[in-house]
Amino acid sequence: YTGETINGLPFGHGSSETYDTHEMNKKIHKKVGKEWINNYQKNFAVKKVGYNLDSQFIGEWKLGLWNGKGKLTEYYGPEYFINKNGGPKISGIFEGNFVNGKKVGEFKEFMDLGGKGVWKKTFYKK
């Protein structure tokens, strides 16, 4: 997490990334080589062998939870899809209002459907 905090908890505007850190990733990363890893991880907040980006959240936080306007981006694992530039490919984007870490109300959503992205609006109940 990077951003504003109160008493050590995310509070205010900030961003976070979650990573898949399965032990198998380390073995795979060692086989594919440093150049591939550097290219894949060039925009990551944490650059370590064995780390694959799962998701990123940018937005408002309250007491360590997503709370307010935010954007959640989810990524495919590199074993499935990567972008032409070598970075992780987006599988979904969710933009809207979060309450206590959950989607609430109307969201603008993007879903990758085999290379063709589709935007739609979805309503989430409390």
Side-chain angles (χ1 to χ4, degrees):
Y1 172 81
T2 57
E4 301 170 314
T5 62
I6 290 181
N7 297 325
L9 291 174
F11 198 108
H13 189 77
S15 65
S16 69
E17 293 180 346
T18 58
Y19 297 91
D20 170 13
T21 59
H22 192 276
E23 280 297 313
M24 181 61 75
N25 293 345
K26 288 182 183 178
K27 293 177 184 176
I28 293 169
H29 283 199
K30 287 179 182 177
K31 287 189 179 194
V32 296
K34 188 172 177 95
E35 184 178 331
W36 185 92
I37 296 303
N38 289 342
N39 196 34
Y40 177 72
Q41 293 184 344
K42 64 185 163 196
N43 295 318
F44 287 20
V46 176
K47 296 171 173 68
K48 290 185 177 180
V49 171
Y51 278 54
N52 293 335
L53 187 63
D54 274 340
S55 65
Q56 178 188 55
F57 178 81
I58 300 172
E60 298 302 314
W61 296 73
K62 184 177 179 182
L63 300 174
L65 297 173
W66 307 335
N67 211 60
K69 284 188 176 186
K71 177 180 176 182
L72 174 63
T73 305
E74 296 177 341
Y75 297 90
Y76 288 111
E79 65 274 20
Y80 297 109
F81 298 106
I82 57 173
N83 286 318
K84 290 178 184 176
N85 69 3
K89 185 169 174 68
I90 294 171
S91 64
I93 300 173
F94 306 89
E95 295 178 359
N97 191 55
F98 292 82
V99 177
N100 295 324
K102 297 182 181 179
K103 300 173 200 147
V104 176
E106 186 174 277
F107 270 73
K108 182 178 172 187
E109 297 183 350
F110 168 84
M111 292 297 190
D112 176 62
L113 303 172
K116 294 184 179 181
V118 175
W119 283 95
K120 66 178 184 172
K121 290 191 178 184
T122 304
F123 190 84
Y124 291 92
K125 294 181 180 180
K126 252 187 175 183

